Amino acid sequence: MTTNANTQALSEQGVSIWLDDLSRERLDSGSLAGLIESHHVVGVTTNPTIFESALAKGEAYEQQLSELADAGADAEKAVFDITTTDVRQACDVFSGVYERTDGVDGRVSIEVDPRLARDTEGTIAQAKQLWEAVDRENVLIKIPATVEGIEAIAAVLAEGISVNVTLVFSLERYRAVINAFMLGLEKAHADGRDISKIHSVASFFVSRVDSEVDKRLELAAEEGKPGTEKLRSSAALANARLAHQIAGESFSSERWQLLAERGAHPQRLLLASTGTKDPNLSDTLYVTELVAAGVVNTMPEKTLLALADHGTVDGDTMTDTYVESNRVLDGIAAAGISYREVVDVLEAEGLDKFVKSWEGLLGTIDTGLRRVVA
């Protein structure tokens, strides 16, 4: 199979390309395996919205729905079994990548019930259940980076469970995520665990930052505040690039070196929400402008195909941008836009979206269970 030159170029820059999508149909058709060969896809992320969309189509899940209905499963049980089955199968598809990269890539993520995002103990308990149910070393358990989630992240990592920390929007919260990661590894090591087997990524959301900030910049412009136009569509890149700076500083610290000497792998920065929402922007903006060795970019299929078709990769576009990125955020603050307010709104909206998708998923499954027994 011919490999795509543009995705190959991104991969050669050290960026891991993950697909932000999964479905039974994609697994059964061989589509996922094909993207590994043709588009350098080396991992998958999922979330409640992705599973809601997959299950709404339904046909590929009919047999398992019938089996679950015959066993008397309710919607909660069925969702758990169906999603862990998909993720387990995807983990098997990526087993070769996982082995070839010594566990760095070949990863598939599954998220705890988003209704537990403010429940530390509930998150810990379900993370353990998902880890045991999928029963594959290359699964990542997704935990939202809420205040309550930070403690859960450290506790789950300490149990030897690999984690994808999701819904990270702010630089301050990202620092807390890295601290929780190191705390978890320190506890795991103290308990005698092999920390070389524990992997983690931190999903730093990108495009939604521009959506929220640009909306506020428009209001600032209407109020006559100068300089707002040049700041449009610049906040998300600046925020992500400064997250990259934080990662570089954190994983060159003395604290980290002690863990690295014990076999630990650094938590990688994962760029999420990289599909462009503004039609006036390049549809590969949040890929080609966020290139640096060691980062992960998880893309919806539409963005992946756009990259493959016309994306241009021109080397590292993050490392030498920190000074300008700080100027961008300073300019946004000078326009009267509160960074803290923006990231708080985005976290609340993100959680709300996932909870609604989860409830929609439960409703779809409940309808399916009733249908197959009718």
Side-chain angles (χ1 to χ4, degrees):
M1 181 179 292
T2 303
T3 60
N4 181 268
N6 294 340
T7 57
Q8 180 176 343
L10 185 62
S11 179
E12 288 175 349
Q13 287 295 322
V15 177
S16 292
I17 300 171
W18 291 8
L19 178 69
D20 194 30
D21 189 52
L22 184 63
S23 67
R24 187 72 53 87
E25 181 181 6
R26 189 181 288 282
L27 288 162
D28 292 346
S29 68
S31 165
L32 183 59
L35 289 173
I36 294 172
E37 296 298 322
S38 64
H39 286 64
H40 299 85
V41 171
V42 292
V44 156
T45 49
T46 68
N47 60 45
T49 302
I50 286 170
F51 278 127
E52 181 191 24
S53 175
L55 269 294
K57 298 172 184 176
E59 292 182 7
Y61 297 94
E62 288 298 290
Q63 180 178 341
Q64 191 173 10
L65 274 173
S66 295
E67 293 169 356
L68 288 163
D70 290 344
D74 61 10
E76 297 272 357
K77 168 68 172 170
V79 166
F80 186 92
D81 285 5
I82 287 171
T83 57
T84 54
T85 296
D86 277 4
V87 169
R88 186 183 310 109
Q89 291 179 5
C91 283
D92 290 342
V93 171
F94 280 103
S95 61
V97 176
Y98 174 73
E99 293 171 6
R100 186 173 70 248
T101 62
D102 193 27
V104 173
D105 281 313
R107 295 280 170 175
V108 184
S109 297
I110 185 170
E111 191 160 342
V112 297
D113 183 336
R115 297 172 299 180
L116 297 171
R118 306 292 184 191
D119 179 352
T120 301
E121 294 304 319
T123 294
I124 294 169
Q126 192 176 80
K128 292 178 181 179
Q129 291 169 356
L130 289 168
W131 177 261
E132 292 170 2
V134 175
D135 193 28
R136 295 293 186 272
E137 282 189 1
N138 52 329
V139 69
L140 292 173
I141 308 304
K142 289 181 78 173
I143 299 175
T146 58
V147 171
E148 298 83 357
I150 294 295
E151 183 179 346
I153 290 157
V156 170
L157 286 161
E159 293 288 334
I161 297 171
S162 295
V163 172
N164 177 342
V165 183
T166 189
L167 283 178
V168 187
F169 292 98
S170 80
L171 300 173
E172 179 183 8
R173 187 62 56 83
Y174 182 42
R175 290 188 180 93
V177 166
I178 293 174
N179 182 58
F181 168 67
M182 293 193 193
L183 281 173
L185 290 189
E186 288 161 350
K187 178 67 163 57
H189 177 73
D191 290 344
R193 299 187 187 277
D194 179 0
I195 60 175
S196 71
K197 298 292 187 181
I198 305 171
H199 288 254
S200 182
V201 295
S203 296
F204 199 87
F205 279 52
V206 183
S207 64
R208 296 186 197 182
V209 174
D210 271 345
S211 297
E212 184 65 26
V213 170
D214 285 359
K215 179 172 63 177
R216 293 168 185 248
L217 284 170
E218 288 179 13
L219 293 175
E222 290 173 3
E223 294 169 0
K225 293 180 180 176
T228 56
E229 184 58 35
K230 67 179 182 180
L231 292 169
R232 282 184 55 82
S233 306
S234 62
L237 292 178
N239 202 39
R241 288 165 171 169
L242 291 174
H244 183 257
Q245 181 183 30
I246 290 170
E249 293 169 351
S250 299
F251 293 107
S252 59
S253 66
E254 289 185 16
R255 181 186 183 189
W256 173 249
Q257 290 306 315
L258 287 173
L259 287 165
E261 289 167 6
R262 295 163 179 164
H265 298 273
Q267 182 186 61
R268 289 192 294 166
L269 175 64
L270 182 151
L271 302 165
S273 184
T274 55
T276 308
K277 294 177 172 57
D278 184 342
N280 296 313
L281 299 177
S282 164
D283 53 3
T284 63
L285 177 70
Y286 303 123
V287 178
T288 57
E289 294 303 315
L290 294 174
V291 176
V295 304
V296 181
N297 194 308
T298 187
M299 311 172 201
E301 185 175 36
K302 181 179 179 181
T303 302
L304 176 65
L305 296 180
L307 170 67
D309 181 66
H310 53 263
T312 302
V313 179
D314 290 322
D316 188 322
T317 52
M318 294 183 81
T319 304
D320 294 327
T321 63
Y322 306 145
V323 172
E324 178 57 30
S325 295
N326 273 306
R327 288 196 188 110
V328 168
L329 294 192
D330 287 345
I332 289 166
I337 296 169
S338 166
Y339 179 86
R340 173 62 64 85
E341 187 176 303
V342 166
V343 295
D344 285 350
V345 165
L346 289 172
E347 180 181 292
E349 288 181 349
L351 282 175
D352 183 60
K353 178 181 179 182
F354 282 170
V355 167
K356 287 180 178 176
S357 293
W358 193 261
E359 291 172 347
L361 173 58
L362 287 169
T364 298
I365 293 296
D366 185 62
T367 299
L369 290 170
R370 294 176 187 276
R371 183 184 66 252
V372 296
V373 298

